Amino acid sequence: MRIDKFLSNMGVASRTESSKAARQGLILVNGVAVKKADIHIEPEKDVIVYCGRTIEYRKYTYILMNKPDGVVSSTEDGRDKTVIDLLPEELQKLNLFPCGRLDKHTLGLVMLTDDGDLAHRLLSPKHHVKKKYYFESKFPLTEEEIAYLQKGATLEDGYITKPSQIELFENKQSGNIILVEGKYHQIKRMLESVNNKITYLERITFGPLVLDENLERGQWRFLTDTEIKRLEEHK
Ligand code: URA
């Protein structure tokens, strides 16, 4: 693998930054400074130092994105822009996919990865990974409706939702809801079951991950080592 590709995939530097760093003698391969960033390395064997920092090789890529409105959380779509389209070209070449879907008009936290095993585990129904959403509804919700939704709402197809937690805000038309499952359009359908309607929905947590307030809509960043560790250890 080319060293500039390696540094870009590891979230360390763009290709332009790598070229500049190489010219300045700031990239070492096994202790020797390289003049150019297009040389090939063996990521699993070679020791790479970038600007004084040893860069560990990580087989998979993990990304946190703040999904904007109107973008679909799939890998390909003939009509709409996808979360993959929001990534730079180099990352689009990796086989990244969103770990769990958000509807086209739902905003907020999406984790993207190419680590199929981790995604499979986090999405498996038996793991009950908690997801917190901020919502706004068309009409105020009553205490009875909240109790019903929390206990388990019967959706239009007869499915009874698993218990959820709802924190209703003062205006009774907004709040946070925590789900342990992710059925198709679940929150919208839950609100429909009490003759109400979601007018705004944003995911703010996914398991141990929290939406990064520094990310504007449509922006992304690599997960930190701590976040990856928390996901791996998440039961
Ligand atoms: N529930 C919904 O209705 N939509 C989402 O995007 C996520 C949960």
Side-chain angles (χ1 to χ4, degrees), residues 32-213:
V32 180
V34 294
K35 294 266 173 321
K36 289 173 92 186
D38 62 359
I39 65 147
H40 284 256
I41 55 155
E42 288 186 58
E44 273 158 279
K45 274 200 345 223
D46 294 330
V47 178
I48 312 299
V49 174
Y50 177 84
C51 295
R53 189 177 132 215
T54 304
I55 309 302
E56 301 294 335
Y57 173 62
R58 192 182 290 124
K59 195 167 166 198
Y60 297 115
T61 302
Y62 306 88
I63 284 172
L64 183 80
M65 182 180 280
N66 184 351
K67 182 180 122 30
D69 190 17
V71 170
V72 293
S73 49
S74 50
T75 49
E76 271 180 36
D77 193 280
R79 228 178 21 193
D80 292 308
K81 202 176 224 187
T82 72
V83 284
I84 302 293
D85 295 330
L86 299 179
L87 298 173
E89 221 171 277
E90 262 150 53
L91 292 177
Q92 289 188 24
K93 289 184 202 142
L94 306 179
N95 290 322
L96 296 168
F97 57 88
C99 181
R101 290 188 170 206
L102 288 183
D103 296 340
K104 183 172 166 183
H105 296 297
T106 303
L107 315 174
L109 196 163
V110 176
M111 202 266 280
L112 295 137
T113 187
D114 49 358
D115 183 346
D117 287 346
L118 180 83
H120 186 260
R121 201 162 54 75
L122 293 170
L123 296 176
S124 131
K126 71 171 191 276
H127 273 94
H128 294 178
V129 172
K130 286 187 181 167
K131 293 138 227 166
K132 179 152 128 186
Y133 297 81
Y134 167 75
F135 70 90
E136 291 174 7
S137 61
K138 187 165 178 191
F139 308 112
L141 284 149
T142 65
E143 292 297 322
E144 293 75 43
E145 286 168 343
I146 294 294
Y148 168 78
L149 292 171
Q150 291 196 116
K151 194 156 177 274
T154 306
L155 304 184
E156 81 297 339
D157 59 0
Y159 179 76
I160 301 173
T161 58
K162 293 208 165 66
S164 62
Q165 279 166 260
I166 302 178
E167 179 195 2
L168 195 61
F169 297 160
E170 227 169 276
N171 66 3
K172 312 275 186 211
Q173 279 179 253
S174 61
N176 291 325
I177 176 165
I178 299 176
L179 300 184
V180 293
E181 56 185 343
K183 299 285 172 212
Y184 178 69
H185 286 180
Q186 180 160 339
I187 300 174
K188 287 184 188 140
R189 290 160 72 211
M190 285 172 77
L191 270 276
E192 277 162 15
S193 78
V194 290
N195 300 315
N196 208 324
K197 196 173 168 10
I198 285 291
T199 54
Y200 181 91
L201 194 57
E202 176 176 9
R203 182 154 69 189
I204 42 188
T205 71
F206 177 81
L209 301 181
V210 180
L211 183 61
D212 188 331
E213 286 176 5

